[in-house]
Amino acid sequence: MGDLRDLYQETILDHSRRPRNFRTLADADRKVEGFNPLCGDRVTVFVSLEGDQVKDISFQGSGCAISTASASMMTEKLKGKTAEEALSLFEGFHALVTGKHEARGNGSELGKLEVFSGVSEFPIRVKCATLAWHALKAALTGAEQTVSTE
Amino acid sequence: MSGTSEALKTGPRAELVRFDVEAIRRDFPILHQEVHGRPLVYLDNAATTQKPKAVLEVLQRYYTQDNANIHRGVHELSQRATAAYEGAREKVQRFLNAASSREIIFVRGTTEAINLVAHSFGGANVREGDEILVSTMEHHSNIVPWQILCDAKKARLRVIPVSDRGELEMESFDRLLSPKTRLVSVAHLSNALGTLNPVKQIIRKAHARGIPVLLDGAQAAARVKLDVRDLDCDFYALSGHKLYGPTGIGVLYGKADHLEAMPPFMGGGDMISSVTFERTTYNKLPYKFEAGTPHIAGVIALGAAVDYVDSIGLEAIASHEEELLHRATEGVLSIPGLRVIGTAKEKAGILSFVMEGIHPHDLGTILDQQGIAIRAGHHCTQPLMERFGIPATARASFGMYNTPQEVDALTEGLGKVREVFG
Ligand SMILES: Cc1ncc(COP(=O)(O)O)c(C=O)c1O
């Protein structure tokens, strides 16, 4: 059960129970739904932009603890970031949960998001952790209206 | 009966040994391993079952001693392979109690069997405005082939609703049967709910209006003693890998009259009796529906699997799994916040549930860390999940080799979920 504690860190459980920015954005400029057809998880990410900057960001949907917490912490992290910064965080987060980068601890670009490093020991859960991020990426690059993890 | 199971080698007092699960477990090598440092508890049998030594050995023997193409060689190996292949067809015929081995078509699995009927029977018999009747609890493989057919033919897919307990609403079924209905296609046993459907009643009512019935037997074949003549179904589809046999092989049973009248599904070698560029005549049943070199080893191993299941006895397996299901249901219901999805009166071998505030995926991961394999997801039944207003369930499904101790491990494992989630 030791590994489970690495996966289900207290911060993750907290965000899954009380997701932040869990609402729709009436004046969103972009809205993209992420869907994981394997498990039926759905998350819609709403972004409102001011110039190149994420002015506000929120999400809605239903998913497991990992995907909900990941979406919640993503929205906290990205408020005020530029699109470019957001996409760079996407890359960093993806590398972290797929085990390509180790967690770096204090001062790293990802900051609190490093609690997701345990996901790399659970390869089938990577899609849960990245679902909202894939939707975000599509929102920022103006690609599709729905993205699928498949 | 071939007596291939160790469970039967119990000596002169065999009749006293009703169901020796420990002996059965010795026949399944894969069960004896640890996962994440715990003994494997395999409760994902609705997804696929494990294979007994008898099946593994037949595969090995076929490829090491008899491998050859069938139906066309004059040489010894080809004759042996052909005899084993056709012998397996007769085993499956007896297993289903079909009238003739001509009615046994080997396909890749349930999915292909249903697609074959949709394409060949549907292609020839369904016209604009006609209706195909399925139910809300169907697996996607008993929905999508009919949607494709209905799109092509401008026909309509109608759906028998499911009650809160997970039973078919039979009054709606009565109303949905109409002169436009060309076929009824329903699950014998639901993979997501464990509901055993009243298929005899469905068949009787459909036949009273001259409508044929296909049963999706993917889950029932390993859990219900089958007799297609007693059921009087027109088609029966099953997958070998859910019946203790290999993947990549399955069966379509069809009444000879239907199969004779249906055009072929695929064209190619083996399904013809003569070919010229002007005119091709098709082979007789069952070969008309078996184009190309089939999964010969798979068919022979499926024959070994049904022998094995017969040697244990489906009635005995069914009553063993009934005890497990009962014990599991009581066990999980003792867990606060847990709700069983599918509480039909008639159930078999499959238990779906959700836990308040905890997603089935998280349950699956936590149980896996304790060596317990269950399934979490929508089980390829998205319309059913929508009907119950849930994205997914956790599902434990039993096989002949599961024990009461394993069921208790599931209950205890679920108890630990609160330790992780607080
Ligand atoms: C009820 C039911 N029908 C059809 C199928 C499809 O079987 P296969 O994937 O072996 O073709 C399954 C498998 O999960 C099933 O449970």
Side-chain angles (χ1 to χ4, degrees), chain A:
Chain A
M1 303 275 284
D3 291 348
L4 282 175
R5 279 272 157 249
D6 295 342
L7 181 65
Y8 295 110
Q9 305 241 357
E10 213 30 69
T11 317
I12 292 180
L13 292 178
D14 176 49
H15 276 264
S16 79
R17 283 190 211 107
R18 298 184 301 117
R20 324 295 199 266
N21 304 309
F22 189 69
R23 57 195 155 84
T24 56
L25 271 191
D27 59 346
D29 300 298
R30 306 275 171 78
K31 172 184 152 194
V32 172
E33 181 181 55
F35 179 48
N36 182 344
L38 270 185
C39 56
D41 283 1
R42 274 174 201 282
V43 54
T44 304
V45 173
F46 302 84
V47 183
S48 76
L49 294 167
E50 200 166 61
D52 191 32
Q53 215 170 28
V54 176
K55 192 176 80 187
D56 203 357
I57 175 167
S58 70
F59 80 105
Q60 286 268 277
S62 76
C64 63
I66 305 297
S67 73
T68 304
S70 169
S72 168
M73 293 179 72
M74 177 186 84
T75 58
E76 278 198 324
K77 180 81 181 172
L78 293 186
K79 225 173 272 186
K81 294 277 190 292
T82 64
E84 196 183 330
E85 286 166 337
L87 292 175
S88 151
L89 283 166
F90 172 94
E91 298 302 330
F93 185 77
H94 197 270
L96 177 82
V97 296
T98 51
K100 293 194 187 93
H101 283 180
E102 306 254 307
R104 299 207 175 93
N106 282 348
S108 90
E109 183 195 34
L110 289 173
K112 271 205 291 181
L113 295 179
E114 289 202 334
V115 294
F116 287 95
S117 65
V119 172
S120 65
E121 297 297 320
F122 295 80
I124 49 162
R125 306 305 298 272
V126 169
K127 284 178 179 167
C128 309
T130 54
L131 183 60
W133 285 90
H134 280 291
L136 169 86
K137 188 177 177 186
L140 293 179
T141 53
E144 313 90 294
Q145 290 304 292
T146 45
V147 291
S148 162
T149 55
E150 287 308 290

Side-chain angles (χ1 to χ4, degrees), chain B residues 28 42 45-52 55-56 59 88 92 95-96 104-113 216-223 226 236-253 295 297-309 400-401:
Chain B
F28 289 81
Y42 186 78
N45 293 284
T48 198
T49 53
Q50 303 303 346
K51 327 301 175 199
V55 167
L56 303 175
L59 279 171
V92 172
F95 183 75
L96 297 177
I104 306 299
I105 315 289
F106 289 119
V107 291
R108 269 196 305 147
T110 305
T111 303
E112 186 172 304
D216 170 351
Q219 297 300 335
R223 297 192 172 84
L226 290 177
Y236 200 94
L238 65 89
S239 295
H241 71 98
K242 295 183 198 281
L243 182 56
Y244 308 97
T247 54
I249 192 67
V251 175
L252 172 68
Y253 158 82
H295 185 4
V299 165
I300 296 170
L302 176 59
V306 302
D307 272 349
Y308 183 83
V309 169
M400 64 163 95
Y401 37 65

Side-chain angles (χ1 to χ4, degrees), chain B residues 376-387:
Chain B
H378 54 56
H379 319 295
C380 298
T381 56
Q382 284 182 6
L384 184 70
M385 296 293 114
E386 203 160 298
R387 155 68 180 82

